[in-house]
Amino acid sequence: MNKLKMASEKSASRVLMLLSQLERLNEEPKVSDNDAIRQTTGKILHLIQTQEKTRKEVASKSSGGMEIILSSLENTQDLQTTLNILAILNELLTVGGGCRTGVFVSKGGTALLLQLLVGSSKDPPANEELMLHIHSLLVKVGLKDRKLGVKARLNGALNVTLNLVKYNLQNHKLLLPCLQVLRVYSRIHFFMSLGKSGTLEIMFEIIGPFSKKSTTLLKVALDTLASLLKSGMNARRAVDRGYLPTLLTIYQDWHRNDTRHRHVVIRKSILGCIKNLTNIKLGRKAFIDANGMRILYNTSTECLPVRTLDPLVNTSSLIMRKCFPKNRLPLPTIKSVFHHPLLHIPASGPVAKLYNQPPGVDDVVDESDENEATEVDTENDTEYDEDETGPKTQNDDIETDINKLRPIQMNTRPFDELRAYEYFFREFSENFEDDDFESPRSVIPPSSVNSELHRPIIIPTTPSSLGPQNRRPPQEDLLTPKPDESPLELDSISISKRPEGTSDPDLVCSLGRLVLDAGVNGGSVDGPQDEGGEQAVLEVPDTAALLPLHDPDLYLEMVKSTRSVPAYTEVGYPDYFGHVALNLREPILERVYGVQRMKIFQDIERLIHPSDILDKVVYDLDNQSCPVTDNGESLKFNSKFESGNLRKAIQVRKFEYDLILNSDINSNHYHQWFYFEVGNMRPGVRYRFNIINCEKSNSQFNYGMQVLMYSVQDAINGSPHWVRTGSDICYYKNHFSRSSIAAGGQKGKSYFTLTFTVTFQHKDDVCYFAYHYPYTYSMLKMHLQKLSALRTAQIYYRQDDLCVTLGGNSCPLLTITAMPGSSSNDPISQFRSRPVVFLSARVHPGETNSSWVMKGTLEYLMSCSPQAQSLRESYIFKIIPMLNPDGVINGNHRCSLSGEDLNRQWQNPNAELHPTIYHAKSLLQYLRATGRTPLVFCDYHGHSRKKNVFMYGCSIKETVWQTNVNTSTCDLHEDLGYRTLPKLLSQMAPAFSLSSCSFVVERSKEATARVVVWREIGVQRSYTMESTLCGCDQGKYKGLQIGTSELEEMGAQFCLALLRLKRFTSRLERHNHNSHLLDMETDLIETRSIPNITSPTTYVLEEDEPAFLEEVDYSAESNDEIDPDLEPDLQDNHFCH
């Protein structure tokens, strides 16, 4: 070892001596010194080739070796010396990597090489070895020197390399490095000069049919060509010269002959060229004209069985999808089928824009939906398609104006305007002198049922044949809204509740859709009659025995006073008979590899084999006067019931259907929520359903989420459950064009498809499908009435109608707390001094999970457990369980009947257009004006892109930390109490993830409830609580889809967290509270110091699920430990009867 070390040191010292000698020769160049320089550079080359340490010595800054060698290269006129120096540089840059290459570029090495290249070409023929060395070095330095292309063009080096290629097509030894240099030029956006110089034509002289020779050369030529074709100008030139059919022919030849798949990289490179050519409209047309769809479809189909050929299949799939002709969505207009007239339409509002389009404007598709510009594709395209717009920079939406982050210090409305809201806070002034503290006391508004108009009401079971008196009324009568229409009547129904565990297997087949008519046009009948003249009886399982808050009879009573724009006359079976949560856990669906690719190929078959497509409309709300007649081979659809949403169903193949969702009323978008009925199915057959007008660029359906299905036959047999169902589920961009009117002015957008496959178990069953567990407005009214009946003498429960919505429905406001111990001064004083907790939910109709969480909260608050009583004694709860009743009733996903997102109206709500928001904000303003600012405000929501349950809050400090704004410490002073509740939930609720929470204020969210209540009302603990629509990837429920029991548990856990929060807001425990906040601030500082970490301070994008593979890290586990005195309460969340 010592000898080797000594030898190494001797070599290092020797090369330093040689460098010194070379430096002296450079300073005093003489003709007689050429031999000395040649010998010296030769010795240096020998040492570098044999000793790694020698290479390090030459490249080190202290030795100055790089400068000396480059100086020698610049000064020498001797060919051998030049070759020696170039060989030295090749050795240095080959082994040294990017660092040595960077030093070479910084010392002007690139310019020297280009000068040498141009100079050497002036005296033809050029020395081949010299050209080899120069081009090999240019390849190495090309990607480090961003100005290489400019330098090469200015001094003429580009033409030198091109000429070498032209005249050395058979000299593969020299041709390869020259092509590699051209590839470097093409990759640094040197497209135009290369294209004008004839590089495209040269590349097509090199590439050709299958050959086992010179595959490396061919691969470089194809890569160069693919890079050149990223330029729209070059792509058009290639298409004009007919190169696209040539590429398809070459690809077919390689596909046929590469039977052992040894040249997959070459085949993929050919596809890369085709892909870039089809980025332009002219290329896509040429591809279709050259029968490219059929060619790539057939070759890809042959590749499918071989997993190693997936790169070819994926690239072919991308090309075919891109070239698939854009289709018009088969609708007359993208506006909703239903329209609700507004008394006041703001000129700049969305409704005015929607209905003020010039006559004859087609809002479904643009006149020219193709984009001439090149669409830039990512280098790592895979099976899944990304959104067309790139990812938004993390800090783009964060509020940076400190003044907008500080709370407003003055009241925003005069108190005289707010005085009317005293009515909703009667608990603050009641003296309870006349109360009997031993008997229940509750206040609920009487249900208003207008019986002036009676209409046929239908309980759906199965579409069997009926007698004339039991047939469905004409569809145009059911769905045409009448002015000043009264609520519907459901007075005649006889229900026989079958004992649990028994059923009639023929019931579903024998019963039709019962038309329950309580009299039309003043007439009356005794009830629906069957053909024998007897009253129709629907036998059902007694779900009321399993569901304390559900009663079918009561549900029908609630439907009577529910007003819908379409004037619904049918009741959804699941809503009528209820849903019993499954005892089984439903795991997140494991995605089958290649499922999306398979579905896309089936879509492509529509173009290749058009004769196989039925294209038969089987359900259409736009054309209800044309009843569908068939031979019984088609499924039957229906969505004409509360919260239903399905606009059109088209039978594409025998067992495949395209489905189109209805827009939100007075809107032309928001297609996400669906709820519809299917009948006339065959058991054991795989039916494929495609919802083809989805708008979001990604969905949890790509990450294990399944749709929900409710089987009427199963319910009658004793299993009334919504269950997760469907296989081969995926969500991807489709070929249906989305107009610029629908896409906010952006052209070239497409819709997305949600596809799933279902195998039905029962013949002639009726099944319902939904985006998430439905929760209707009538269901809420039923639950509230049942809850009020559970009140004991210890519970103060009051229900008021906050306001009437645009659709004529009331918005319930609940007040829940504990009754005072007596009517004496101290108990009354304690009662009135309780802090207020303000809760709301369901501002977005499609987020039904928020209603199930709210149901859990309400049930817990009305339960008789000691912890629930303690919670009621601690707070006064003001609760608006459904902020958007109209949207819920009419099957909207996001908007109210004003056509606007109500959760973007909190800054300046309009009393006419946004009554629920206007009056909810007025309640909060009244509380602030009277010194009763709520301790906690929480708005329950659902999230379609993320897993788990989490919170968004508001923090000046955490917002500023995510920006580059410079502020003093005093500007960032704030109490960290806003973090207490989320941290408690992370310790108590297994579905809750603290790492998914964010407390950053975004500009786009400044008009939301969370931000406005924080800033204008002064509620420090102002939150949005988001519940996943999919499931959890941490904690106790990791790997499971979320169900109603988990959602209701979350609502109960929220109550328990509020009870524990009482400790941290108590004056007696102020010291402990402060130390707790110090601990949290320490956590904040620690997490802030770690870059790119998914932490409680991380800014959470609204749509942060990855487009390809699920890479978001939700690694933080919820702490499953719960206080011993609290945990039993969750297991026994019972009601007092």
Side-chain angles (χ1 to χ4, degrees):
M1 290 295 294
N2 289 333
K3 289 182 179 180
L4 288 173
K5 185 176 180 181
M6 291 174 62
S8 177
E9 291 176 354
K10 185 176 181 180
S11 298
S13 60
R14 185 180 178 190
V15 79
L16 292 176
M17 291 173 55
L18 290 171
L19 286 172
S20 299
Q21 183 181 344
L22 186 61
E23 187 177 18
R24 288 195 302 272
L25 292 171
N26 287 336
E27 291 173 353
E28 299 177 2
K30 298 178 182 178
V31 177
S32 59
D33 291 339
N34 283 342
D35 289 340
I37 295 175
R38 190 182 307 128
Q39 291 176 6
T40 303
T41 53
K43 292 176 182 178
I44 294 173
L45 176 60
H46 175 72
L47 289 172
I48 286 177
Q49 288 174 334
T50 56
Q51 296 288 339
E52 167 62 23
K53 189 169 184 180
T54 302
R55 287 192 287 268
K56 292 180 180 178
E57 287 289 342
V58 173
S60 66
K61 292 182 179 180
S62 60
S63 69
M66 188 67 76
E67 292 92 333
I68 296 170
I69 291 171
L70 289 176
S71 177
S72 301
L73 180 63
E74 185 177 15
N75 295 330
T76 186
Q77 301 296 320
D78 181 64
L79 177 60
Q80 187 58 50
T81 302
T82 302
L83 292 174
N84 288 344
I85 295 174
L86 291 176
I88 291 170
L89 291 171
N90 260 313
E91 289 289 337
L92 289 175
L93 302 188
T94 299
V95 180
C99 183
R100 293 179 189 174
T101 305
V103 173
F104 175 85
V105 172
S106 67
K107 302 299 182 183
T110 307
L112 277 177
L113 289 177
L114 295 173
Q115 290 171 11
L116 182 60
L117 176 62
V118 174
S120 302
S121 66
K122 292 180 179 179
D123 298 321
N127 183 276
E128 183 174 322
E129 188 177 358
L130 181 65
M131 293 297 106
L132 280 171
H133 279 301
I134 293 174
H135 283 89
S136 296
L137 282 168
L138 285 173
V139 172
K140 292 180 175 68
V141 305
L143 297 179
K144 278 288 182 180
D145 190 346
R146 296 183 178 179
K147 297 182 179 180
L148 173 63
V150 177
K151 296 173 184 176
R153 180 169 54 84
L154 291 177
N155 67 8
L158 172 62
N159 290 330
V160 174
T161 301
L162 281 173
N163 287 329
L164 283 172
V165 172
K166 289 179 184 179
Y167 298 113
N168 291 275
L169 292 177
Q170 304 306 318
N171 184 356
H172 292 178
K173 182 179 178 182
L174 178 59
L175 184 60
L176 181 59
C178 292
L179 284 177
Q180 289 173 330
V181 170
L182 291 179
R183 180 171 63 180
V184 171
Y185 289 156
S186 68
R187 286 179 174 176
I188 55 177
H189 306 290
F190 204 42
F191 304 131
M192 293 180 61
S193 296
L194 287 171
K196 291 177 181 178
S197 302
T199 310
L200 285 175
E201 291 76 8
I202 295 173
M203 294 303 106
F204 275 97
E205 289 185 38
I206 297 171
I207 64 175
F210 175 80
S211 173
K212 295 181 180 179
K213 299 178 180 179
S214 307
T215 54
T216 302
L217 187 73
L218 182 59
K219 175 68 167 60
V220 174
L222 286 168
D223 289 347
T224 305
L225 179 61
S227 296
L228 290 173
L229 293 177
K230 290 181 179 179
S231 160
M233 182 179 294
N234 289 339
R236 281 188 286 274
R237 182 181 289 110
V239 173
D240 290 340
R241 284 163 172 72
Y243 289 151
L244 200 148
T246 302
L247 285 171
L248 286 169
T249 302
I250 292 172
Y251 180 72
Q252 279 183 294
D253 187 67
W254 279 85
H255 173 77
R256 282 193 298 265
N257 291 286
D258 185 25
T259 55
R260 304 184 70 177
H261 311 309
R262 292 181 174 177
H263 305 292
V264 175
V265 289
I266 291 180
R267 292 157 67 181
K268 189 173 187 297
S269 295
I270 299 171
L271 289 175
C273 297
I274 298 173
K275 185 182 74 169
N276 291 340
L277 273 177
T278 54
N279 279 339
I280 62 171
K281 180 180 178 180
L282 194 64
R284 293 190 285 273
K285 183 178 183 301
F287 178 83
I288 295 294
D289 293 342
N291 206 20
M293 293 291 283
R294 187 178 294 274
I295 291 171
L296 291 194
Y297 175 81
N298 291 337
T299 55
S300 299
T301 303
E302 294 172 9
C303 291
L304 282 174
V306 184
R307 186 73 175 265
T308 56
L309 300 183
D310 278 356
L312 303 181
V313 178
N314 292 337
T315 306
S316 296
S317 174
L318 286 171
I319 296 169
M320 289 187 285
R321 291 176 67 188
K322 192 189 324 182
C323 296
F324 200 115
K326 289 290 186 69
N327 289 355
R328 174 194 175 92
L329 202 65
L331 292 175
T333 175
I334 55 173
K335 294 191 285 286
S336 173
V337 176
F338 311 118
H339 172 63
H340 181 78
L342 301 177
L343 296 176
H344 168 63
I345 302 179
S348 59
V351 178
K353 295 178 182 178
L354 187 68
Y355 290 100
N356 289 341
Q357 297 289 338
V361 170
D362 187 351
D363 64 352
V364 179
V365 67
D366 295 326
E367 289 184 8
S368 176
D369 204 30
E370 292 282 1
N371 195 350
E372 285 287 351
T374 301
E375 302 164 8
V376 179
D377 287 304
T378 56
E379 286 294 323
N380 58 339
D381 283 328
T382 68
E383 181 188 24
Y384 313 112
D385 199 46
E386 280 191 296
D387 190 11
E388 305 93 300
T389 58
K392 189 169 66 173
T393 304
Q394 180 169 321
N395 288 347
D396 282 355
D397 192 34
I398 298 179
E399 181 57 72
T400 56
D401 187 343
I402 297 296
N403 292 325
K404 290 185 177 180
L405 293 174
R406 291 196 179 97
I408 297 175
Q409 299 299 323
M410 56 182 292
N411 290 327
T412 54
R413 288 177 64 184
F415 186 73
D416 287 343
E417 293 183 14
L418 299 172
R419 196 179 300 278
Y421 293 91
E422 289 178 348
Y423 172 80
F424 297 106
F425 297 96
R426 302 190 292 280
E427 65 275 10
F428 292 153
S429 57
E430 286 189 77
N431 53 29
F432 298 94
E433 289 181 354
D434 299 328
D435 276 79
D436 178 2
F437 290 91
E438 300 299 323
S439 59
R441 175 185 187 274
S442 63
V443 180
I444 59 172
S447 60
S448 57
V449 178
N450 190 330
S451 58
E452 294 177 1
L453 179 66
H454 302 281
R455 286 189 172 274
I457 301 301
I458 301 168
I459 305 297
T461 53
T462 63
S464 304
S465 59
L466 296 173
Q469 72 278 13
N470 280 349
R471 290 204 179 108
R472 185 183 301 192
Q475 293 184 359
E476 64 269 21
D477 293 339
L478 293 181
L479 289 165
T480 305
K482 307 291 192 300
D484 301 324
E485 190 163 40
S486 300
L488 304 173
E489 281 290 330
L490 293 166
D491 289 338
S492 179
I493 179 170
S494 173
I495 300 176
S496 172
K497 294 181 178 176
R498 179 174 293 278
E500 194 67 26
T502 64
S503 64
D504 182 353
D506 297 324
L507 179 61
V508 178
C509 300
S510 61
L511 280 178
R513 192 179 298 273
L514 302 182
V515 182
L516 308 177
D517 193 345
V520 181
N521 297 327
S524 63
V525 295
D526 293 333
Q529 305 288 316
D530 60 16
E531 293 185 2
E534 296 182 0
Q535 185 177 12
V537 176
L538 179 61
E539 298 188 48
V540 300
D542 189 3
T543 51
L546 300 173
L547 299 170
L549 299 187
H550 192 88
D551 186 337
D553 297 318
L554 181 58
Y555 185 80
L556 290 182
E557 288 297 316
M558 296 300 103
V559 172
K560 294 177 183 180
S561 57
T562 297
R563 296 173 179 262
S564 63
V565 172
Y568 289 133
T569 59
E570 299 177 23
V571 179
Y573 191 106
D575 308 321
Y576 180 65
F577 292 111
H579 156 71
V580 178
L582 282 173
N583 291 326
L584 300 175
R585 300 297 188 193
E586 297 177 291
I588 290 174
L589 186 68
E590 184 176 350
R591 186 183 177 104
V592 177
Y593 181 83
V595 60
Q596 177 173 291
R597 182 177 62 197
M598 176 182 67
K599 297 299 181 182
I600 291 170
F601 272 48
Q602 291 174 5
D603 292 347
I604 292 169
E605 288 173 1
R606 300 187 188 189
L607 184 67
I608 297 174
H609 305 297
S611 59
D612 296 342
I613 303 305
L614 300 177
D615 202 25
K616 175 183 176 183
V617 177
V618 296
Y619 181 73
D620 190 359
L621 289 182
D622 290 286
N623 189 20
Q624 300 173 56
S625 60
C626 298
V628 176
T629 58
D630 59 36
N631 57 2
E633 292 295 319
S634 302
L635 294 178
K636 295 186 177 180
F637 294 84
N638 181 39
S639 62
K640 292 173 283 189
F641 46 83
E642 186 175 349
S643 295
N645 189 319
L646 177 66
R647 181 171 186 165
K648 192 171 188 176
I650 304 169
Q651 187 175 13
V652 180
R653 298 182 178 95
K654 187 173 183 179
F655 301 114
E656 181 179 355
Y657 294 81
D658 282 353
L659 309 178
I660 301 176
L661 304 181
N662 193 23
S663 302
D664 286 5
I665 292 178
N666 282 333
S667 170
N668 60 10
H669 54 304
Y670 298 119
H671 309 109
Q672 192 165 339
W673 167 256
F674 57 87
Y675 184 19
F676 57 88
E677 169 197 311
V678 177
N680 200 41
M681 66 281 291
R682 292 184 185 179
V685 173
R686 288 171 56 84
Y687 287 90
R688 177 183 172 185
F689 299 96
N690 312 304
I691 298 176
I692 62 173
N693 64 331
C694 301
E695 294 167 321
K696 288 195 173 184
S697 60
N698 204 0
S699 169
Q700 281 293 321
F701 286 114
N702 274 337
Y703 305 101
M705 178 172 159
Q706 293 176 282
V707 299
L708 284 147
M709 186 180 81
Y710 190 105
S711 164
V712 172
Q713 179 72 74
D714 285 345
I716 292 176
N717 290 339
S719 299
H721 309 296
W722 280 103
V723 296
R724 300 277 187 172
T725 192
S727 60
D728 295 346
I729 299 176
C730 58
Y731 186 96
Y732 58 91
K733 188 192 300 183
N734 62 31
H735 55 275
F736 289 102
S737 177
R738 188 177 172 199
S739 70
S740 57
I741 295 175
Q746 299 182 72
K747 288 191 174 183
K749 295 290 184 181
S750 297
Y751 285 103
F752 290 79
T753 289
L754 162 63
T755 181
F756 58 95
T757 300
V758 174
T759 302
F760 298 102
Q761 301 301 314
H762 308 293
K763 182 181 179 182
D764 292 330
D765 195 1
V766 170
C767 293
Y768 290 77
F769 291 97
Y771 179 65
H772 199 68
Y773 299 94
Y775 192 103
T776 65
Y777 173 68
S778 297
M779 192 182 300
L780 170 69
K781 293 191 293 181
M782 174 187 67
H783 286 163
L784 294 183
Q785 187 153 327
K786 297 284 282 186
L787 276 173
S788 68
L790 299 173
R791 182 201 175 266
T792 66
Q794 290 76 38
I795 301 176
Y796 180 99
Y797 177 91
R798 190 178 74 244
Q799 179 178 334
D800 298 303
D801 287 341
L802 176 63
C803 61
V804 176
T805 66
L806 291 176
N809 298 288
S810 63
C811 178
L813 168 68
L814 310 180
T815 303
I816 302 175
T817 187
M819 288 288 288
S822 68
S823 60
S824 57
N825 289 337
D826 288 345
I828 296 297
S829 176
Q830 188 277 336
F831 175 89
R832 294 175 179 174
S833 64
R834 294 171 187 167
V836 174
V837 172
F838 201 108
L839 306 178
S840 61
R842 206 67 184 281
V843 69
H844 294 145
E847 296 168 7
T848 59
N849 47 356
S850 66
S851 282
W852 290 99
V853 176
M854 178 59 76
K855 180 175 180 284
T857 295
L858 292 174
E859 288 184 14
Y860 187 87
L861 287 175
M862 294 299 290
S863 66
C864 64
S865 68
Q867 287 79 14
Q869 178 62 18
S870 177
L871 184 64
R872 292 190 292 266
E873 292 172 352
S874 301
Y875 303 107
I876 294 175
F877 287 87
K878 288 289 181 181
I879 302 175
I880 306 176
M882 192 171 283
L883 276 167
N884 191 351
D886 290 341
V888 172
I889 294 165
N890 293 287
N892 286 6
H893 175 68
R894 197 164 184 90
C895 298
S896 70
L897 294 185
S898 69
E900 297 167 294
D901 181 348
L902 291 182
N903 201 36
R904 296 297 187 274
Q905 311 304 323
W906 279 81
Q907 277 185 328
N908 188 28
N910 184 292
E912 292 182 3
L913 294 176
H914 325 117
T916 60
I917 305 302
Y918 179 86
H919 293 294
K921 185 176 181 180
S922 297
L923 294 177
L924 290 160
Q925 290 172 323
Y926 175 84
L927 285 170
R928 172 171 177 166
T930 56
R932 302 298 300 266
T933 300
L935 177 70
V936 173
F937 171 86
C938 190
D939 191 20
Y940 293 2
H941 281 252
H943 206 289
S944 66
R945 299 296 190 92
K946 290 170 64 69
K947 292 183 171 67
N948 310 312
V949 181
F950 52 94
M951 278 182 160
Y952 293 130
C954 302
S955 165
I956 298 177
K957 183 178 293 186
E958 297 194 42
T959 302
V960 171
W961 279 358
Q962 297 290 336
T963 67
N964 296 321
V965 176
N966 294 320
T967 56
S968 63
T969 305
C970 60
D971 288 331
L972 298 182
H973 176 73
E974 67 178 341
D975 187 348
L976 292 179
Y978 65 89
R979 278 185 156 268
T980 310
L981 187 58
K983 191 159 188 176
L984 290 173
L985 284 170
S986 71
Q987 296 168 355
M988 301 167 62
F992 194 88
S993 171
L994 186 62
S995 65
S996 298
C997 295
S998 171
F999 304 94
V1000 173
V1001 178
E1002 308 96 329
R1003 293 189 184 97
S1004 62
K1005 306 295 176 62
E1006 287 180 348
T1008 62
R1010 163 177 62 101
V1011 179
V1012 170
V1013 172
W1014 170 69
R1015 186 165 182 258
E1016 295 186 19
I1017 309 301
V1019 179
Q1020 182 195 30
R1021 297 176 180 85
S1022 180
Y1023 307 103
T1024 297
M1025 187 164 72
E1026 302 273 2
S1027 299
T1028 179
L1029 291 161
C1030 177
C1032 299
D1033 58 14
Q1034 53 81 49
K1036 175 182 174 183
Y1037 301 131
K1038 182 176 181 179
L1040 299 176
Q1041 295 186 76
I1042 203 159
T1044 56
S1045 58
E1046 289 80 26
L1047 293 168
E1048 292 184 51
E1049 177 193 58
M1050 187 65 231
Q1053 291 281 11
F1054 183 82
C1055 293
L1056 289 175
L1058 289 174
L1059 184 57
R1060 194 186 289 186
L1061 177 68
K1062 181 69 174 176
R1063 304 176 187 176
F1064 297 110
T1065 55
S1066 168
R1067 295 180 180 178
L1068 298 177
E1069 298 191 22
R1070 182 66 62 187
H1071 174 73
N1072 294 336
H1073 175 51
N1074 290 336
S1075 63
H1076 172 70
L1077 295 181
L1078 289 175
D1079 292 340
M1080 287 197 297
E1081 183 150 27
T1082 303
D1083 294 341
L1084 268 175
I1085 295 170
E1086 289 175 355
T1087 54
R1088 184 190 173 202
S1089 65
I1090 305 173
N1092 301 324
I1093 186 172
T1094 303
S1095 71
T1097 59
T1098 301
Y1099 171 57
V1100 181
L1101 292 176
E1102 182 180 2
E1103 301 173 357
D1104 65 352
E1105 197 75 75
F1108 296 158
L1109 299 176
E1110 195 160 15
E1111 298 168 351
V1112 176
D1113 179 21
Y1114 299 104
S1115 58
E1117 292 286 337
S1118 292
N1119 186 354
D1120 293 331
E1121 295 182 6
I1122 302 178
D1123 280 1
D1125 60 328
L1126 295 179
E1127 186 169 14
D1129 190 44
L1130 287 176
Q1131 306 300 327
D1132 190 22
N1133 183 16
H1134 56 281
F1135 299 112
C1136 302
H1137 296 283

